[in-house]
């Protein structure tokens, strides 16, 4: 079957329900998908709720930073924040339309293998220390009531939100190069994914689900475990383009935020080059970021 061409169609125009109803449960990728969903339950939901109900007793570190308070709580951005799943699902729907169900399902399997590995990689941190931040007890919007009900807020460092969207951009960039896409499709869709990944990553601070300390760890996890998809230079560029149009705070504060994220990311890289395991620099950061000292400074 000759691939269809969608030069003028943005990824946001593809219905994610096509992917949910099709490739996520299709034969070529079903077993991989099932294992991935099981890992997500284990490393995200079960881990947090077992801690919440005192079945687990993993130490919890508060990772708030003074810069967090300089970024205004912006509830209107919650819709963007919650789009992080559809960011990688919509392209799967596009693959179905462009290549057909069977080939799209095979490509889905490639993504889900990486997605599962991402949760397992973050689990190396979460099982060592859980992390949290102060978030507003805001219940005016349904979305926040759902977030607070479903997310006990113990998995802040690294931010799975940021790792996921950054990795998804890198994954699809590779797919665009390997598969039969037009140059216009490649350029348009890679830019759309990159811009959306940036915007979603910024919202983790606007909606107070994360601290500035959570972002560099997320990028470090991605570049350390998926160098075939995202490079250190990709992460540096990503950081340099965050908050270039700050809303509700100054350019000076935006520069301070970028500098902090960049410096912490570089510290992880430098330390990681000297350790046996990639995750040891984040472990060391969490050990040194003592709860009582942190709270006194803030």
């Amino acid at each position: 079957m000759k691939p269809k061409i969608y030069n003028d169609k943005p990824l946001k125009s593809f219905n994610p329900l096509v992917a949910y109803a099709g490739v996520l449960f299709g034969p070529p990728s079903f077993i991989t998908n099932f294992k991935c969903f099981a890992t997500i339950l284990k490393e995200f939901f079960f881990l947090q709720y077992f801690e919440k109900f005192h079945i687990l007793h993993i130490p919890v570190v508060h990772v708030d930073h003074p810069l967090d308070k300089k970024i205004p709580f912006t509830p209107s951005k919650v819709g963007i924040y919650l789009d992080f799943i559809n960011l990688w699902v919509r392209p799967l729907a596009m693959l179905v339309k462009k290549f057909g169900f069977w080939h799209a399902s095979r490509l889905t399997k490639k993504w889900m293998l990486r997605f599962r590995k991402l949760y397992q990689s973050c689990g190396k941190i979460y099982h060592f220390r859980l992390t949290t931040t102060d978030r507003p007890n805001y219940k005016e919007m349904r979305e926040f009531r759902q977030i607070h009900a479903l997310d006990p807020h113990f998995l802040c460092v690294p931010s799975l939100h940021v790792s996921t969207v950054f990795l998804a951009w890198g994954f699809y960039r590779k797919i665009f190069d390997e598969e039969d896409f037009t140059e216009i499709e490649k350029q348009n869709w890679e830019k759309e994914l990159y811009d959306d990944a940036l915007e979603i990553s910024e919202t983790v601070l606007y909606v107070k689900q994360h601290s500035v300390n959570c972002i560099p760890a997320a990028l470090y996890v991605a570049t350390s475990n998926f160098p075939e998809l995202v490079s250190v230079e990709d992460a540096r560029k990503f950081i340099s383009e965050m908050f270039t149009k700050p809303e509700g705070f100054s350019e000076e504060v935006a520069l301070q935020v970028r500098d902090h994220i960049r410096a912490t990311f570089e510290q992880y890289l430098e330390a990681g080059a000297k350790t046996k395991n990639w995750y040891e620099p984040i472990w060391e950061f969490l050990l040194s970021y003592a709860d009582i000292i942190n709270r006194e400074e803030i």
Side-chain angles (χ1 to χ4, degrees), residues 10-112:
L11 288 171
K12 279 191 171 69
S13 66
F14 290 92
N15 189 345
L17 292 177
V18 172
Y20 288 124
V23 293
L24 288 180
F25 299 100
S29 59
F30 176 76
I31 294 177
T32 298
N33 297 344
F34 178 82
K35 290 180 178 179
C36 182
F37 296 143
T39 297
I40 292 172
L41 285 174
K42 174 179 178 288
E43 300 295 354
F44 186 83
F45 291 103
F46 291 167
L47 181 60
Q48 292 194 87
Y49 279 98
F50 284 175
E51 179 75 20
K52 180 178 180 179
F53 294 117
H54 308 292
I55 298 172
L56 293 176
H57 300 281
I58 302 172
V60 180
V61 178
H62 280 261
V63 292
D64 302 274
H65 188 277
L67 281 171
D68 299 330
K69 291 187 176 182
K70 297 183 179 182
I71 300 174
F73 178 51
T74 313
S76 61
K77 290 185 176 290
V78 71
I80 299 170
Y81 171 82
L82 292 173
D83 198 47
F84 87 109
I85 294 295
N86 280 336
L87 177 129
W88 60 262
V89 173
R90 280 189 295 263
L92 300 183
M94 174 274 293
L95 293 175
V96 174
K97 294 290 187 180
K98 187 170 179 66
F99 297 116
F101 166 78
W102 200 260
H103 189 50
S105 192
R106 288 200 294 265
L107 295 175
T108 299
K109 181 177 180 178
K110 290 185 177 182
W111 163 251
M112 297 302 279

Side-chain angles (χ1 to χ4, degrees), residues 10 47 72 80 91 105 196 261 282 286:
L47 181 60
I80 299 170
S105 192
D196 288 349
I261 294 171
I282 302 180
L286 294 177

